[in-house]
Amino acid sequence: MRPGKSSRPRTRTRPQHADAVDGFVIAVDRGRYQCVLAGAERGVVGAELPTVTAMRARELGRKSVVVGDRVSLVGDTSGAEGALARIVRIAERRSVLRRTADDDETTAEGRLERVVVANADQLVIVSALADPPPRTGFIDRCLVAAYDADVEPLLCLTKADLAGPEEVLGYYTELELPYVLNRPDSDLGALRALLGGRVSVLVGHSGVGKSTLVNRLVPDALRAVGVVSAIGRGRHTSTSAVALRLPPVPGVDTDPGWIIDTPGIRSFGLAHVSADSLLHGFPDLVEGTVDCPPNCQHTADEAACGLDAWVAAGKADPRRLASYRRLLASRAGEGDSRGESDQRGPGEGDRRGPDE
Ligand SMILES: Nc1nc2c(ncn2[C@@H]2O[C@H](COP(=O)(O)OP(=O)(O)OP(=O)(O)O)[C@@H](O)[C@H]2O)c(=O)[nH]1
Ligand SMILES: [Zn+2]
């Protein structure tokens, strides 16, 4: 079952792991990591996507491994039943998305690990146009998380058969936000094209039609092979993010991409995002801050904040400023309520915080 085992040197302290193979982490469940070997990841067409189960090598120390991580694997990477490989290296992450403080406090993994997804290229913000009505506050929060993580946002507006997109799109006119409209009978071609060649994270509130969309994008059969049989093994899994391989588009030779579904993630945390970075989620407001006093927190109680005049002059939608300030306040709350170290260091005690 384990080719070459007897002929290999069995030193446990090989410094470099020259024989390590590259893998892509698609699911995490109770200290076990499901990885797809590089190569298989791109090349496999059809149902079978072989996965390797791995655990963390002790040498990783306290470094976490999350879905989307590119890792180096040693040991038994055959993927055979019962085989266990070891993750010995985590490649530098090109992006990191963190969850909010209140998500998934019930598991040890959830409490310890705030990073949910690494190396995403795109954040697909799924929002219904009706039933439930769109929540721009949620979309704004996701946009901030995306810009902060250097992940491209894509607005996916579902239930377009129930309501038009004009109001939502009107709110975002200044942003030139890429978007797709979805209805039960719509052709997914445009969306698939935007997902091609990338790792895209899907996020959305309950009821917006995210599962419906994921089911249409990735047929059940593919998922059963890719993840359920690999980690489910008949028991309930506590996984909070799962990468799913998109099926190849007939007649198209390019990489169809991956989607990462985030069933347990209600939103993304912004406690680590500075007030100025938060502003990057509101490019329509940025210019309005050029005349702000130094260290302006841009909150409503900053008497000299330039944003009030900017909005009063009709340069931006007042709802956008209100949304920005709500996020500023909630971000401070996230840090406070969970005892997380917030942005204001002890040395800054004489400066008032954003929400006080
Ligand atoms: N009219 C309409 N209904 C839809 C559409 N997409 C999904 N639905 C319905 O909306 C409801 C919620 O869809 P789900 O896919 O379960 O929503 P979800 O976002 O996954 O929500 P959770 O399962 O709670 O996480 C279901 O009754 C779907 O049939 C759509 O495009 N148009
Ligand atoms: Zn200001």
Side-chain angles (χ1 to χ4, degrees), residues 65-132:
V65 178
V66 300
V67 171
D69 264 325
R70 309 270 167 185
V71 296
S72 301
L73 296 159
V74 299
D76 189 343
T77 55
S78 67
E81 183 71 39
L84 192 59
R86 286 186 348 268
I87 298 173
V88 291
R89 266 195 305 271
I90 307 166
E92 196 180 330
R93 295 168 177 164
R94 73 152 295 272
S95 71
V96 151
L97 284 167
R98 293 176 172 82
R99 59 188 175 77
T100 52
D102 58 346
D103 280 334
D104 198 21
E105 292 289 329
T106 54
T107 68
E109 260 166 19
R111 279 191 302 275
L112 290 171
E113 186 44 78
R114 305 173 93 63
V115 173
V116 263
V117 176
N119 300 316
D121 301 305
Q122 183 165 252
L123 181 64
V124 181
I125 306 162
V126 185
S127 175
L129 288 164
D131 187 26

Side-chain angles (χ1 to χ4, degrees), residues 9 59 62 102 216 306:
E59 64 208 74
R62 298 182 54 171
D102 58 346
R216 288 188 68 200

